[in-house]
């Protein structure tokens, strides 16, 4: 099972990636974690990526592709894996396609979590943070016991700079712009859509059904071939 998971900032993608990983016994690989692991391990690619990141640059396709190739060659990826945050560009998608082909692996199942921008803006602008202990609240879904103050230390909650509406709208705009070519690349043949604008447990359920159906299809195909 090879899954590529896409979704806008604030859609709960990380949570669902974790759910799929534990439900289907495959690692959920985010590029961020991969970067940190390679940097920490001091591999050649890690050193290059660290230097670029430290200088405030963008790590190019070649380095990212190399890291993904190394990562999916690890034994824990033998029965599949989920990639979160990759591919981000069409050249990366091309690279992944050739990598999978070369290794005799199947096409990925490409899942887009869909949440209307208005809902994401509402969700994200409802976030509050405790300046003291850094705990995150959400006035809609995870409010503190007493309005405006931290449950743990009573400090007055504040809105993070990242959670201001203008910043969020800009991030969503960037997401759509970045993702459009990837959508075009994979759709309609490999794409699946999941409604992310519902409670997390329902999103998990929808993902589970979609991927279980895929596993069944694949084993039927294997039985008949
Ligand atoms: Zn606190």
């Amino acid at each position: 099972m090879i899954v590529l998971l896409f979704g806008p900032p604030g859609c709960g993608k990380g949570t669902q990636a974790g759910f799929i990983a534990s439900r289907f016994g495959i690692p959920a690989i985010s590029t961020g974690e991969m970067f940190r692991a390679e940097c920490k391990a001091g591999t050649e690619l890690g050193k290059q990526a660290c230097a670029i990141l430290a200088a405030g640059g963008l790590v190019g396709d070649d380095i990212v592709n190399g890291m993904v190739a190394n990562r999916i060659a690890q034994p824990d990826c033998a029965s599949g894996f989920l990639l979160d945050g990759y591919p981000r560009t069409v050249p990366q998608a091309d690279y992944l396609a050739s990598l999978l082909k070369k290794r005799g692996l199947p096409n990925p199942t490409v899942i887009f979590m869909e949440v209307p921008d208005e809902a994401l803006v509402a969700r994200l602008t409802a976030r509050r943070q405790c300046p003291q202990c850094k705990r995150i609240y959400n006035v809609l879904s995870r409010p503190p016991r007493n309005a405006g103050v931290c449950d743990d230390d009573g400090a007055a909650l504040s809105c993070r700079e990242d959670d201001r509406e203008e910043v969020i709208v800009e991030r969503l705009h960037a997401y759509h712009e970045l993702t459009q070519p990837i959508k075009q690349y994979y759709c309609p043949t490999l794409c699946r859509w999941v409604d992310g604008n519902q409670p997390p447990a329902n999103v998990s359920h929808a993902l589970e059904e979609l991927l279980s159906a895929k596993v069944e299809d694949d084993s039927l195909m294997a039985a008949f071939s």
Side-chain angles (χ1 to χ4, degrees):
M1 174 183 292
I2 299 171
V3 181
L4 310 182
L5 187 61
F6 295 95
C11 76
K13 179 161 60 80
T15 306
Q16 300 302 339
F19 166 77
I20 293 171
S22 64
R23 170 62 183 78
F24 294 97
I26 55 173
I29 303 165
S30 84
T31 36
E33 277 157 45
M34 219 166 44
F35 274 23
R36 284 190 289 276
E38 294 258 354
C39 284
K40 213 171 149 199
T43 62
E44 198 44 53
L45 282 172
K47 279 184 215 158
Q48 289 176 30
C50 276
I52 295 166
L53 289 172
L58 268 177
V59 178
D61 286 346
D62 287 351
I63 292 179
V64 184
N65 289 341
M67 284 186 181
V68 170
N70 288 347
R71 183 62 188 86
I72 70 171
Q74 301 293 314
D76 65 336
C77 293
S79 54
F81 50 86
L82 177 149
L83 292 173
D84 168 358
Y86 178 92
R88 277 168 76 89
T89 64
V90 169
Q92 288 181 4
D94 273 331
Y95 176 83
L96 179 65
S98 65
L99 183 65
L100 295 179
K101 199 169 173 198
K102 201 166 69 189
R103 299 180 54 104
L105 296 170
N107 279 329
T109 303
V110 184
I111 304 177
F112 285 91
M113 289 176 62
E114 294 282 288
V115 182
D117 282 1
E118 310 82 69
L120 290 168
V121 170
R123 246 189 237 186
L124 292 167
T125 53
R127 288 210 291 203
R128 299 291 180 274
Q129 188 172 35
C130 170
Q132 245 166 68
C133 68
K134 307 294 174 206
R135 183 167 161 185
I136 305 252
Y137 295 87
N138 187 299
V139 294
L140 298 176
S141 57
R142 230 180 318 142
R145 279 196 299 273
N146 298 310
V149 293
C150 179
D151 290 350
D152 298 332
D153 49 39
L157 303 179
S158 57
C159 195
R160 300 188 316 170
E161 188 64 14
D162 284 0
D163 294 339
R164 283 189 343 192
E165 185 160 345
E166 310 85 87
V167 179
I168 292 165
V169 167
E170 196 158 303
R171 275 169 63 207
L172 289 173
H173 184 74
Y175 167 79
H176 292 306
E177 204 139 272
L178 195 75
T179 316
Q180 196 50 40
I182 293 289
K183 264 188 192 164
Q184 273 167 359
Y185 184 91
Y186 287 119
C187 296
T189 46
L190 300 178
C191 283
R192 300 285 183 279
W193 310 88
V194 166
D195 176 10
N197 196 22
Q198 45 180 344
N202 298 20
V203 179
S204 297
H205 185 71
L207 287 165
E208 183 173 22
E209 290 216 311
L210 188 161
L211 289 168
S212 301
K214 174 89 175 65
V215 169
E216 231 164 79
D217 282 356
D218 289 351
S219 55
L220 268 177
M221 294 279 273
F224 282 108
S225 62

